[in-house]
Amino acid sequence: MRSFSARRITFAALATLGACCALAASGAASAASYVAKHCAELEGRSIPAPVIGLPTRGALIWSASVVKAAAPGNRNGEYCRIVGSIRAVQDTTPDIRFEVNLPSRWNGRALQMGGGGYSGVVVSGTEPMPFAPDSTPLARGYATFGSDSGHVGNSGRADFAANDEAIVNFGFGHLKKTHDVALALIQMGYGRGPEKTYFAGGSTGGREGLTVIERYPADYDGVIANAPAINFSGVRLIGVKVGQASYAKPGGFVGLAQQRRVFETVMHDCDRLDGAADGIVGNVEACRELEPQIVAQLRCANGQRPSLRDSCLSDAQLATLDTLRDGLSLPYPLAYNVNSYPGYNVYQGVDLSGGLGLGDSPTLVSPPGFAVNGYLFAQGDAYIRYFVTRDPAFSSLAFDIANPGRYRQRLVTLSATVGAMNTDVSAFIARGGKLIMMHGLADEVISPNQTIAFYRSLVGRYGQDTVDSFVRLYMVPGFQHGSGVFIPAWDELGALDQWVTRGVAPETLVGTDIAPATNGRSRPMCRYPAYPRYTGKGSVNSAANFRCERP
């Protein structure tokens, strides 16, 4: 399939859009006035299927209106807001809903913004970047766009997966389709296409960022992929395995008091390994070496069986945590010869007692709930029910991960559709594309060690020098999946744009903590594998008093 950028939109191909296109084609000088004066003329127009690089039945613009700079609640300046849908091939498949925003003061760049979880909600493109809360890309002049990934409703049930076309849209199809429609609208709005096109997202959006690099490299000049939910089958299967350890084995559930005890014990033993008593496990690798003594402190003495109010852990409970720490090994390969999912930093600073942790109840509900039975297990169970077996009554406690029988090929197929684990990114490298990845070392939802493993696979394939020419990876101590004891705010988009447009590759950057309890302190954002180490002088709240050091 030819990429959109390799076949420029012609006004002949968009002839059905009518006279409004001629107004846009009059030149870049009139672009801002066109956006302001003729935005509403787009409403009700259609974009023909041949303009879109994957099979659809074309796109329809539902509404197009100017949002004035002074509109209540608007912090984006004046822009044209365009909302519409991309028609699915099958009548039984949900359409893809999208939003495109064309600022009157355009900087010549476009930014596609990724979703989260199972998506199902239109990404408006009007919000700030997750780690740059003080400004929005739209206010900075970017034409922004996003979609709902091709279904409605971001529930853990994932019942949209009963439809094959909807799974393809969720996995990769909506990215290309939305991109092509958005660039058609940008061409119509300004009379020219963007000089640079970027993608940015986290979690599901991070997976989507790596997906576009792997599948549509000619369409993007730069990508931001934070906490990428790659190896999607792997992360869902490890969730099932943890659930089985918690609820299918006697005494396996780890109570909230014990979850908190694990975190507190790790902090006591590992906080100062980076030179500062600051509530952050900075030197994760040194902390890993202390794991035997940490586990010994957690284990109940003399075979004691704790109640849920006790803070020591039984052997069965430690086995549940070890399941999460050890990750997943499969006796068969998934797509791209992937046969494992690396474990989590359970004994290196992950707090499993939060809303995305292991849950708060020893009683299993059906279907499992995020808060009561744990986020990973609830999501894994939904994946088995809706993606794999397509049987809403199926209990994942009975799913044999090592020997899935007739479901094995299904797992392989799904891992190819949704997983984003293809390390062949040669075309993206050849076009000069740039990639920035960031992941929290205390992430409890998506294993940071999977992101590290993917990065290392790139190094193994292309060599360190080549990877350094197009990738920057920042692993952040103390950061979980959107929360944590350190939540970095940093100008990731600015760093990417400088790299793409001026060739200024980002090195050590500075992140400012936006965690409520420690808001305002700063730390270096160190390139992997380095971590921030306190110099021993000056305030521990200032990045200036830390240096990036390799473990």
Side-chain angles (χ1 to χ4, degrees):
M1 181 66 64
R2 292 177 297 170
S3 72
F4 178 90
S5 57
R7 50 170 189 143
R8 289 177 56 85
I9 294 177
T10 65
F11 289 109
L14 295 172
T16 57
L17 294 170
C20 68
C21 296
L23 292 169
S26 61
S30 62
S33 63
Y34 170 76
V35 168
K37 295 179 181 179
H38 302 283
C39 173
E41 295 179 20
L42 292 170
E43 187 166 318
R45 304 280 178 173
S46 61
I47 294 177
V51 170
I52 305 169
L54 290 177
T56 71
R57 288 184 289 174
L60 175 66
I61 299 172
W62 298 348
S63 66
S65 59
V66 172
V67 178
K68 295 293 187 180
N74 178 31
R75 51 175 168 171
N76 293 304
E78 183 180 85
Y79 65 97
C80 175
R81 178 176 183 260
I82 305 167
V83 177
S85 62
I86 303 168
R87 298 188 64 201
V89 174
Q90 302 294 327
D91 289 335
T92 54
T93 304
D95 292 340
I96 298 168
R97 300 176 300 155
F98 67 85
E99 181 169 332
V100 177
N101 308 291
L102 306 181
S104 293
R105 296 179 178 274
W106 187 38
N107 66 7
R109 298 164 178 74
L111 175 67
Q112 184 171 6
M113 301 177 76
Y118 281 123
S119 295
V121 178
V122 175
V123 176
S124 70
T126 60
E127 297 301 315
M129 294 277 288
F131 307 106
D134 293 334
S135 65
T136 70
L138 183 55
R140 294 165 69 170
Y142 287 86
T144 63
F145 56 98
S147 84
D148 67 355
S149 83
H151 64 272
V152 176
N154 191 352
S155 72
R157 295 199 321 153
D159 48 7
F160 72 90
N163 183 292
D164 285 336
E165 189 179 0
I167 288 181
V168 169
N169 279 337
F170 172 70
F172 60 87
H174 82 99
L175 300 166
K176 176 64 174 170
K177 296 170 186 178
T178 304
H179 168 276
D180 289 2
V181 168
L183 262 67
L185 292 169
I186 290 170
Q187 180 83 37
M188 292 158 55
Y190 300 115
R192 61 186 177 94
E195 298 162 8
K196 302 295 179 184
T197 301
Y198 303 141
F199 187 97
S203 194
T204 288
R207 171 185 61 79
E208 291 171 341
L210 292 178
T211 296
V212 301
I213 286 175
E214 297 166 22
R215 290 182 178 269
Y216 312 114
D219 288 350
Y220 300 88
D221 300 285
V223 167
I224 292 169
N226 294 325
I230 54 177
N231 195 354
F232 195 70
S233 287
V235 71
R236 292 297 177 249
L237 290 176
I238 188 62
V240 171
K241 191 174 180 181
V242 170
Q244 291 173 345
S246 296
Y247 294 103
K249 296 180 180 179
F253 177 75
V254 183
L256 278 178
Q258 296 152 319
Q259 295 171 33
R260 190 66 190 174
R261 166 76 184 280
V262 173
F263 177 73
E264 291 170 350
T265 302
V266 170
M267 292 305 304
H268 178 271
D269 286 16
C270 296
D271 184 5
R272 294 173 176 82
L273 296 176
D274 60 2
D278 56 359
I280 301 172
V281 177
N283 192 344
V284 168
E285 294 308 314
C287 184
R288 205 181 306 278
E289 296 179 5
L290 300 182
E291 185 173 311
Q293 75 180 42
I294 291 170
V295 172
Q297 294 175 69
L298 295 171
R299 179 175 278 113
C300 293
N302 303 318
Q304 174 187 349
R305 297 183 62 184
S307 71
L308 293 179
R309 290 186 296 273
D310 294 326
S311 57
C312 72
L313 280 78
S314 68
D315 287 347
Q317 292 169 324
L318 288 170
T320 297
L321 295 182
D322 289 350
T323 296
L324 189 58
R325 175 203 63 192
D326 294 341
L328 182 73
S329 294
L330 298 173
Y332 52 89
L334 299 174
Y336 308 111
N337 207 35
V338 172
N339 62 0
S340 64
Y341 188 83
Y344 295 71
N345 294 329
V346 174
Y347 302 112
Q348 290 83 41
V350 177
D351 185 355
L352 297 169
S353 65
L356 299 179
L358 292 179
D360 61 11
S361 174
T363 302
L364 178 62
V365 299
S366 184
F370 293 167
V372 290
N373 304 128
Y375 183 86
L376 279 176
F377 178 42
Q379 290 283 37
D381 180 83
Y383 183 69
I384 296 299
R385 292 175 192 254
Y386 293 102
F387 277 79
V388 180
T389 67
R390 288 180 162 171
D391 178 1
F394 190 94
S395 171
S396 63
L397 292 185
F399 189 79
D400 189 339
I401 296 172
N403 300 287
R406 63 191 178 99
Y407 298 119
R408 174 173 165 176
Q409 185 54 50
R410 179 71 180 158
L411 289 170
V412 174
T413 300
L414 288 168
S415 67
T417 304
V418 187
M421 287 294 287
N422 185 3
T423 58
D424 184 358
V425 294
S426 302
F428 187 71
I429 297 171
R431 72 156 296 165
K434 307 301 181 186
L435 167 65
I436 296 178
M437 293 192 291
M438 184 270 281
H439 205 144
L441 283 163
D443 197 320
E444 74 277 42
V445 173
I446 305 298
S447 174
N449 298 310
Q450 176 62 87
T451 297
I452 291 171
F454 185 81
Y455 173 84
R456 288 176 174 171
S457 294
L458 292 176
V459 173
R461 182 165 191 152
Y462 297 106
Q464 190 67 60
D465 288 347
T466 296
V467 171
D468 286 347
S469 73
F470 82 101
V471 180
R472 288 293 182 269
L473 173 59
Y474 297 89
M475 303 301 298
V476 182
F479 182 45
Q480 298 204 186
H481 204 73
S483 63
V485 294
F486 182 84
I487 306 174
W490 58 313
D491 186 10
E492 204 169 3
L493 181 58
L496 180 68
D497 187 53
Q498 286 285 311
W499 197 6
V500 170
T501 61
R502 299 187 180 182
V504 180
E507 297 297 333
T508 300
L509 302 173
V510 174
T512 301
D513 194 359
I514 56 175
T518 47
N519 190 284
R521 65 177 175 175
S522 60
R523 291 288 182 274
M525 300 286 286
C526 299
R527 287 181 57 190
Y528 175 81
Y531 71 94
R533 182 171 183 83
Y534 180 52
T535 63
K537 298 179 180 180
S539 172
V540 295
N541 293 323
S542 173
N545 299 319
F546 288 76
R547 67 175 183 272
C548 291
E549 184 173 295
R550 288 175 174 259

